[in-house]
Amino acid sequence: MNSPAASLLLSVFRIITILALGASLGFGADEPAFKSPAAARAQARFRQSVTAASKRLVEELDRNLAYAMKSGALEEANQINAAKQQAAAGTPVTADFKRVSLISARDQYRDSLTAAKGQYFRDLEPALREVTKAGDLQQANAIDAARKALESDLADGKITGKVENGLVLTLDGKRSIWENKAIKLPPKKTPVTLEGVLLLSGKIRTIKLRTAQASGSERLKFIVDGKPCEFLLEGGQHRYVVVTPLPGSDKMRLRLGDSIAANEWMFGPLEWAINDGKWRTIPLHSMIAVD
């Protein structure tokens, strides 16, 4: 049974969270009030997605908060409560959790926010075209500003305009979205690049990257955050690279191929091994297509 002091502190934490949720559902006083019906629908859909993601995480954090309080783990309880306030506000959760359940809940919330922002960006595109054609400059600028803010959040810079999960595949000048599945490439030297952003989570020291299937006389060159990577050999035949994320970064820019001509006959899917862990296929939701 909780002590009276612990019960009182837990009640205070819950009141703070309720107040934060109530204030956050307005999504900020500076959020635009769109007159365009299409933009308003896009905004409502975005709010609904973020609210659902926030509610799921807050409920999970609340369960963990009760456990932490019962265990007398005040430091962890304060960390969880700070994360609850971030989640209630619909903002990224930055806590460096140690327990697997908390890490999983935080990562799911992050992925849900990314997906909601991507959908919002896509939904605002036809709304922008509509108000621009109608000659409503004020609304066009408001929608364009919202899209640019989303653009910055999603990939720290330029994006393709469709914000899809996957990497941009450019094969012999033709662009498409690659969904991290094995593909056959022409058995001749054909220019090819794969590029995008990899979303990271947790405390990552190093990441190994490789392709699960690769055949041919050359390998696509890896460039991560603008720096070329040297290939290492595993098991005498499987080539991979090791990269270290920038300090405090939650994403990496990845580019394969660059200026070389690929002679791969089979390529993909991409895999990673985090902090010397096991090789796993990179989840599609961890990839964002960017320019």
Side-chain angles (χ1 to χ4, degrees), residues 40-56:
R41 286 194 299 270
Q43 188 179 63
R45 180 179 183 179
F46 173 66
R47 288 177 174 178
Q48 184 178 24
S49 297
V50 173
T51 299
S54 297
K55 184 175 182 292
R56 284 195 301 269

Side-chain angles (χ1 to χ4, degrees), residues 53-251:
S54 297
K55 184 175 182 292
R56 284 195 301 269
L57 181 58
V58 167
E59 289 175 350
E60 181 61 28
L61 291 176
D62 208 33
R63 285 191 288 270
N64 281 275
L65 177 58
Y67 176 82
M69 293 297 295
K70 187 176 181 180
S71 303
L74 182 59
E75 183 177 351
E76 184 181 45
N78 280 315
Q79 183 189 46
I80 293 172
N81 190 60
K84 283 178 60 179
Q85 293 181 51
Q86 291 175 328
T91 59
V93 171
T94 58
D96 184 17
F97 293 125
K98 301 297 186 294
R99 277 194 280 134
V100 173
S101 60
L102 289 170
I103 293 172
S104 177
R106 180 202 61 197
D107 291 353
Q108 183 180 2
Y109 171 71
R110 179 212 64 188
D111 294 341
S112 296
L113 284 189
T114 299
K117 288 176 182 177
Q119 185 64 53
Y120 192 20
F121 186 92
R122 289 195 297 274
D123 289 346
L124 286 177
E125 185 177 11
L128 178 59
R129 289 198 304 268
E130 181 181 288
V131 297
T132 300
K133 289 180 179 179
D136 191 336
L137 182 59
Q138 184 178 7
Q139 276 291 286
N141 284 331
I143 295 172
D144 187 53
R147 294 182 85 244
K148 285 178 178 176
L150 291 165
E151 178 179 80
S152 178
D153 283 347
L154 285 164
D156 285 345
K158 297 179 180 178
I159 56 177
T160 62
K162 291 192 176 179
V163 193
E164 295 187 54
N165 291 123
L167 298 180
V168 177
L169 168 66
T170 304
L171 180 59
D172 202 18
K174 297 179 181 179
R175 293 164 59 88
S176 61
I177 300 298
W178 183 59
E179 297 182 345
N180 203 23
K181 297 178 180 178
I183 55 173
K184 290 184 178 180
L185 299 178
K188 61 182 180 180
K189 290 190 176 182
T190 303
V192 58
T193 59
L194 284 162
E195 54 191 324
V197 164
L198 295 186
L199 298 177
L200 310 176
S201 62
K203 204 166 186 177
I204 297 177
R205 300 184 301 275
T206 59
I207 297 177
K208 294 179 182 177
L209 295 170
R210 74 178 187 186
T211 173
Q213 299 182 46
S215 60
S217 61
E218 294 181 279
R219 296 292 183 266
L220 298 181
K221 180 168 59 176
F222 280 76
I223 298 177
V224 180
D225 289 330
K227 297 180 180 179
C229 300
E230 295 291 331
F231 277 109
L232 301 174
L233 207 57
E234 185 176 63
Q237 58 180 4
H238 216 135
R239 291 153 60 89
Y240 69 97
V241 300
V242 178
V243 295
T244 302
L246 298 174
S249 177
D250 61 355
K251 57 180 70 70

Side-chain angles (χ1 to χ4, degrees), residues 238-280:
H238 216 135
R239 291 153 60 89
Y240 69 97
V241 300
V242 178
V243 295
T244 302
L246 298 174
S249 177
D250 61 355
K251 57 180 70 70
M252 297 189 310
R253 286 186 176 274
L254 176 66
R255 183 178 176 94
L256 288 77
D258 200 40
S259 61
I260 68 170
N263 194 22
E264 301 277 9
W265 299 327
M266 181 66 71
F267 182 85
L270 283 180
E271 297 180 327
W272 59 11
I274 299 174
N275 297 341
D276 295 325
K278 295 181 179 179
W279 286 105
R280 296 183 297 113

